[in-house]
Amino acid sequence: MAEPESATVDLEIIVQGAQEGKKLELRLWLRMLSTTKLISQEIRRRLRNEFGATLPQFDLMAQLYREREGLRLGELSKRTMVTNGNVTGLVERLESDGLVLRVTPDGDRRVTVAKLTAKGETLFSAMAAAHEGWLRDMMADVDPAIVSELWRDIGAVKSSVSNHLSGADFD
Amino acid sequence: MAEPESATVDLEIIVQGAQEGKKLELRLWLRMLSTTKLISQEIRRRLRNEFGATLPQFDLMAQLYREREGLRLGELSKRTMVTNGNVTGLVERLESDGLVLRVTPDGDRRVTVAKLTAKGETLFSAMAAAHEGWLRDMMADVDPAIVSELWRDIGAVKSSVSNHLSGADFD
DNA sequence: CGCAAACCTTTGACATTTCAAATGTCGCTC
DNA sequence: GAGCGACATTTGAAATGTCAAAGGTTTGCG
């Protein structure tokens, strides 16, 4: 089914109203997904090359950096949107690298609290600065006004999605 | 040189500054990421519950559905943004489920072409219809005009990101 | 007190992810 | 027609991801 060189591309797509009508949401989703993948891959590559860290580790440390007292694993799971079982292994690896510490509080022995070590804080703050710069660079060609608008409108999407989940809660 | 032409310049600066200033790109990224994760998880859950399929499998089948003649694994890798090694295992599992067929063309024995089976086409077309509906539902509270706008503006983001990668090409 | 329900984390089985290195084929040159 | 370089896929190690089931701990109620 090789396509002949004739202009089979529909001209009417150019017209606003003739957007093929349906599937607007589907198209938005596909574009969001591919864009997010693209950015993730770039950040992953740089985190690896420049800091020897992975993206999920970075995400987890970001949460701990905001809460210097540490967080329970369940809290970490919610905030990073990573499953419980996954957090266990993630924290294990970070602990063996000396970046995170695990403590069981006196009051409740069911609980494990994870907390950044000094080494972890130092490393994270370097990574965070670089990370922010990478994003600014990658989005350099986008008008700041558009960036703001996107931030707002994607918020609307997130909120709509949250209200139509089959069985969970939200932000 | 620094001649204030009009008051609008100052206003723009004020507006930007009032946006909590820095890190606009970072905040956009975090919101895109969490929203994408949220939607992905929902789709994943439904694909699993209703069709016993995974999201990467769905993505891969979507590409094959568009190209009934089949695609080489390398092409699949590019289109799904999944690494080569990953495609191998993905196709392996789909083949053992009877959804995909692997063929080596006569001309070039380096190549493997994957192609949907009849069973695969039937299953995918059911999944695709459901998938589209899920997205429409999830985004039901978002004004269609905003959806269009987002589609366009995220395109701009994607294009900017593509032009600032450290070592790869693009869409 | 005693025990069942609720809570938090871990474990186990699999699927997916990345990267780098290995394998196999083809095309082209000498 | 032997071999080198380019191309296509597979393999292997390590990390991440899901889900469901199992482990301890606490709480609350009879």
Side-chain angles (χ1 to χ4, degrees):
Chain A
M1 194 59 168
E3 182 166 304
E5 74 281 359
S6 64
T8 53
V9 178
D10 299 306
L11 285 180
E12 58 248 43
I13 288 181
I14 297 172
V15 183
Q16 265 276 3
Q19 281 268 353
E20 192 53 57
K22 321 294 179 193
K23 314 206 178 186
L24 258 183
E25 294 86 358
L26 177 59
R27 289 169 53 180
L28 171 57
W29 166 239
L30 294 177
R31 185 164 276 189
M32 277 184 67
L33 187 58
S34 64
T35 304
T36 299
K37 268 191 189 177
L38 191 62
I39 299 177
S40 287
Q41 284 170 353
E42 177 70 8
I43 293 178
R44 218 189 298 275
R45 175 169 34 223
R46 300 210 201 190
L47 276 177
R48 177 175 209 78
N49 293 342
E50 302 182 25
F51 297 98
T54 66
L55 187 48
Q57 286 170 358
F58 176 77
D59 277 354
L60 196 153
M61 291 176 75
Q63 296 305 326
L64 295 182
Y65 193 78
R66 291 214 242 163
E67 304 281 350
R68 300 308 177 87
E69 311 309 317
L71 287 171
R72 293 151 44 147
L73 299 200
E75 247 321 278
L76 268 177
S77 169
K78 265 178 223 147
R79 298 201 192 187
T80 56
M81 300 177 79
V82 152
T83 52
N84 276 338
N86 205 358
V87 167
T88 297
L90 224 27
V91 170
E92 239 163 35
R93 256 163 260 128
L94 287 170
E95 189 175 37
S96 79
D97 286 345
L99 299 170
V100 154
L101 207 61
R102 244 184 318 189
V103 198
T104 299
D106 293 345
D108 190 338
R109 263 177 312 182
R110 290 172 300 185
V111 173
T112 299
V113 170
K115 180 175 183 310
L116 280 186
T117 62
K119 180 181 171 190
E121 287 184 358
T122 303
L123 175 61
F124 177 77
S125 93
M127 289 195 295
H131 178 257
E132 194 202 322
W134 299 336
L135 284 165
R136 241 201 316 272
D137 289 348
M138 284 191 266
M139 299 190 185
D141 302 346
V142 185
D143 184 330
I146 300 284
V147 174
S148 282
E149 217 174 280
L150 279 169
W151 183 77
R152 169 170 46 74
D153 291 342
I154 292 178
V157 171
K158 185 174 182 179
S159 148
S160 174
V161 171
S162 292
N163 289 121
H164 295 273
L165 295 181
S166 57
D169 43 10
F170 26 90
D171 186 11
Chain B
M1 164 137 292
E3 177 117 27
E5 293 262 332
S6 71
T8 58
V9 173
D10 292 41
L11 277 182
E12 284 171 13
I13 292 173
I14 291 170
V15 169
Q16 286 185 5
Q19 268 301 326
E20 194 54 57
K22 323 289 182 190
K23 314 204 182 188
L24 256 183
E25 293 86 359
L26 178 57
R27 288 168 53 181
L28 171 58
W29 167 238
L30 294 176
R31 186 163 277 189
M32 277 184 66
L33 187 57
S34 64
T35 304
T36 299
K37 268 191 190 178
L38 190 62
I39 298 176
S40 288
Q41 284 171 352
E42 178 70 7
I43 293 178
R44 218 188 298 275
R45 175 169 36 221
R46 300 211 203 188
L47 276 177
R48 176 174 210 79
N49 292 343
E50 302 182 24
F51 298 98
T54 66
L55 186 48
Q57 288 170 356
F58 175 76
D59 276 354
L60 196 153
M61 291 176 75
Q63 296 305 327
L64 294 183
Y65 193 77
R66 290 214 246 161
E67 305 280 350
R68 300 307 179 89
E69 310 310 316
L71 286 170
R72 292 148 47 142
L73 299 198
E75 247 322 278
L76 267 177
S77 169
K78 265 177 222 148
R79 299 201 191 186
T80 57
M81 300 177 81
V82 151
T83 52
N84 276 338
N86 204 359
V87 167
T88 296
L90 226 27
V91 170
E92 239 164 36
R93 255 162 261 127
L94 286 170
E95 189 175 36
S96 78
D97 286 345
L99 300 169
V100 154
L101 207 61
R102 244 184 320 189
V103 197
T104 299
D106 293 343
D108 190 337
R109 262 177 312 184
R110 290 172 301 184
V111 172
T112 300
V113 170
K115 178 175 185 314
L116 281 186
T117 61
K119 180 179 171 193
E121 286 183 0
T122 303
L123 175 61
F124 177 79
S125 95
M127 289 195 294
H131 178 257
E132 195 202 320
W134 299 336
L135 284 166
R136 241 201 317 273
D137 290 347
M138 284 191 264
M139 299 191 186
D141 302 347
V142 184
D143 183 330
I146 300 284
V147 173
S148 280
E149 216 174 281
L150 280 168
W151 183 76
R152 170 170 47 75
D153 292 342
I154 291 178
V157 171
K158 185 174 182 180
S159 149
S160 174
V161 172
S162 291
N163 288 122
H164 295 275
L165 296 180
S166 57
D169 41 10
F170 26 91
D171 185 13

